Amino acid sequence: MPPLVTLPPSDADARRIKRSRALSFVFLLLAAVVFSLRPEVFGDPQSQPAHALLHVWRIVLGIVLGLAALGVQVVVGVRWRAGLRRRADDTADDDGEAPGNRAPGDR
């Protein structure tokens, strides 16, 4: 299998990728903060019946934030690859040839 060659991102794509990484980092940072919250901080567990729910919601919210960080990366990656395909199709339409090197028999 020949090596896969990908084009570097355009300026707009590079900005989008940089922002998505920052947003994912923020989501992961928030998830870490949520996971590190100690239910004892919110009072005595015996006197508050909602204390057990805090354990559950802390875990659920942390997982949701982690999945949101992953989702941001997947969405941006899919959009970037779709843009690459679209640009490759536009290039192929311009000169009638597919982009890239021709097969050895065509040279």
Side-chain angles (χ1 to χ4, degrees):
M1 181 182 207
L4 181 63
V5 177
T6 56
L7 299 172
S10 67
D11 290 339
D13 289 337
R15 283 191 303 273
R16 182 182 303 125
I17 290 168
K18 189 180 284 189
R19 282 189 217 122
S20 73
R21 287 180 181 162
L23 182 62
S24 292
F25 181 74
V26 168
F27 280 147
L28 289 177
L29 185 67
L30 287 173
V33 168
V34 168
F35 278 133
S36 68
L37 288 177
R38 291 274 195 235
E40 296 84 32
V41 172
F42 299 102
D44 181 27
Q46 302 299 327
S47 64
Q48 296 178 351
H51 193 78
L53 286 177
L54 183 61
H55 283 289
V56 174
W57 283 109
R58 180 175 61 104
I59 293 168
V60 170
L61 184 60
I63 290 172
V64 166
L65 287 169
L67 289 176
L70 179 64
V72 166
Q73 292 301 304
V74 168
V75 167
V76 169
V78 167
R79 286 183 63 189
W80 179 58
R81 288 190 53 140
L84 287 177
R85 273 194 210 101
R86 191 171 32 257
R87 276 183 270 160
D89 289 343
D90 291 343
T91 305
D93 291 343
D94 291 343
D95 59 6
E97 280 186 24
N101 294 334
R102 294 179 290 176
D106 295 341
R107 293 183 191 168

